[in-house]
Amino acid sequence: MYTPAAALLNASLIFGPLAFLFLDMTYSVRGWWDAPTGLVHILAAAAYGVTALRLVTLARGRLQALLLVVAVLGVVGNAGVGDDTMHVGLGGNDLFREDAAVAHLWSLVGFFFPLTLLIAAVALWPLVPRWIPVLVAIGAVVFPVAHVWNVSWLAILDALVMVVALGGVFARRAELDGMLSDAEPRTSVRV
């Protein structure tokens, strides 16, 4: 069934990874501590947040519940990295390098974004051709390596991998929705 929300969630499989590809190319050109790029990062994190919600709809049971919690934390952590970039770019200190316990916790939350992708790969495994979850898992593992050490070419390559992988999910969206709706348990609720 077509709804505007369903169309947006499906489109996010394309625009979320493309937003991060654009972001990583911008970091490559402008530098990893550029304040305007930090703002772009926050917007790209929001776009990828919608993508994460679409991936949640493809999981089932406890895995879906786990993915939902991890995805929300991942969006917060991802946006926090963009906020830190803006902070440093405007002359502030690097919040991730502070010794405070909060800074360490904030760094940990940042890793929930790639963890979202890793859990999504597990959820996708039985639903799509194997190359898709394998690419999503590779992207999940490469993401923190590229972004923690600020390796521009690797970040761009990782973003391209995710564009291809999630584009594969987008191409199978109708089939996936049909499979998942057929698998839904038929229950009635009495009021």
Side-chain angles (χ1 to χ4, degrees), residues 60 176-186:
R60 289 293 172 258
L176 287 167
D177 288 340
M179 281 188 328
L180 294 171
S181 66
D182 291 343
E184 290 291 320
R186 307 286 185 222

Side-chain angles (χ1 to χ4, degrees), residues 55-144:
L55 293 171
V56 167
T57 68
L58 299 173
R60 289 293 172 258
R62 290 185 178 128
L63 186 63
Q64 186 179 47
L66 174 66
L67 184 55
L68 178 60
V69 171
V70 171
V72 169
L73 289 170
V75 171
V76 170
N78 195 355
V81 172
D83 182 58
D84 185 58
T85 298
M86 282 192 339
H87 195 257
V88 173
L90 294 172
N93 55 336
D94 184 351
L95 301 174
F96 290 100
R97 300 203 191 278
E98 293 295 313
D99 288 331
V102 173
H104 294 296
L105 180 61
W106 194 243
S107 294
L108 179 63
V109 171
F111 286 104
F112 277 84
F113 176 69
L115 183 57
T116 298
L117 298 174
L118 199 55
I119 296 169
V122 171
L124 289 169
W125 188 260
L127 303 174
V128 295
R130 299 291 183 250
W131 66 268
I132 293 173
V134 167
L135 285 181
V136 172
I138 290 169
V141 171
V142 171
F143 185 90

